[in-house]
Amino acid sequence: MLGAAGALLCMALGTALGAGLKERRCARLRLLENEMELLARMLILEERLGLPALLRTCASDGGEGVFSHRLKKAAEILEKHPLLGLRDAYQQATSALPLSAEKSEEKAVLDGLFAQLGTGTASMREQAASSAIRRLRPLAEKAREQAEKGGKLLMQLGLLFGLMLGIALW
């Protein structure tokens, strides 16, 4: 009887492992969607607020996404050091709050965006945010495809691994 319980436990463990790996794949998709949502929000509020207030408002309206915490941190840095540019404040927030799901592609897009948001006219900042959203959208689609295809595969492989381990230990 202990062998059957051990086999079921191994199967459950393998399935949990597959689910954990699937969750890691989905984390990037959620991050990209959160970034695009907050940038779209920034487009709406951009003209009425100063930069720290804009970042804080977008972060608080954006829910509990990990990118929201980075925007809050950048707003705090800007408020503490007003002579520091938005680009430098964002880079400090990035180093203080690294995101494990963030890849170099979206990091480059966001670094470029925050370098442009601190300067120029309102229409230039709006164009920069729109451009960043357009560049993030294909990355999100690619991440969605990978999460759907790879996530299902990882779940099945985890279940198979657990089943094989359970049979081997029985």
Side-chain angles (χ1 to χ4, degrees), residues 23-34:
E23 178 61 30
R24 284 183 51 193
R25 278 194 179 241
C26 292
R28 180 167 185 237
L29 175 62
R30 282 194 308 277
L31 173 66
L32 284 165
E33 287 174 343
N34 186 244

Side-chain angles (χ1 to χ4, degrees), residues 1-169:
M1 188 65 181
L2 186 60
L8 286 175
L9 182 64
C10 287
M11 229 170 60
L13 180 67
T15 304
L17 177 68
L21 292 173
K22 178 183 177 183
E23 178 61 30
R24 284 183 51 193
R25 278 194 179 241
C26 292
R28 180 167 185 237
L29 175 62
R30 282 194 308 277
L31 173 66
L32 284 165
E33 287 174 343
N34 186 244
E35 288 170 349
M36 288 190 308
E37 177 186 332
L38 290 176
L39 291 178
R41 183 116 183 101
M42 210 178 274
L43 283 172
I44 296 168
L45 298 172
E46 188 263 326
E47 288 188 35
R48 295 183 280 151
L49 301 171
L51 287 176
L54 174 67
L55 293 177
R56 195 174 297 285
T57 303
C58 288
S60 63
D61 291 346
E64 289 300 313
V66 288
F67 188 64
S68 298
H69 296 298
R70 186 182 281 176
L71 288 181
K72 286 178 187 175
K73 184 71 172 173
E76 289 172 13
I77 292 170
L78 267 178
E79 288 171 345
K80 287 180 185 174
H81 307 286
L83 296 179
L84 196 67
L86 180 60
R87 175 183 179 202
D88 295 329
Y90 180 74
Q91 286 177 345
Q92 286 183 13
T94 300
S95 61
L97 297 171
L99 305 176
S100 60
E102 185 176 47
K103 299 234 175 155
S104 60
E105 301 158 324
E106 56 257 29
K107 187 172 173 26
V109 170
L110 293 172
D111 285 345
L113 169 68
F114 283 96
Q116 292 174 345
L117 278 181
T119 60
T121 64
S123 65
M124 290 170 65
R125 292 190 298 259
E126 183 179 333
Q127 283 180 330
S130 295
S131 173
I133 291 171
R134 280 193 307 275
R135 290 174 63 194
L136 288 174
R137 193 166 286 130
L139 297 176
E141 288 302 317
K142 184 178 175 185
R144 178 174 286 111
E145 288 174 12
Q146 288 177 343
E148 288 172 359
K149 286 194 303 190
K152 188 184 292 185
L153 177 65
L154 289 172
M155 287 287 291
Q156 291 170 347
L157 286 175
L159 178 64
L160 182 64
F161 173 72
L163 186 62
M164 288 177 14
L165 187 62
I167 292 170
L169 293 178

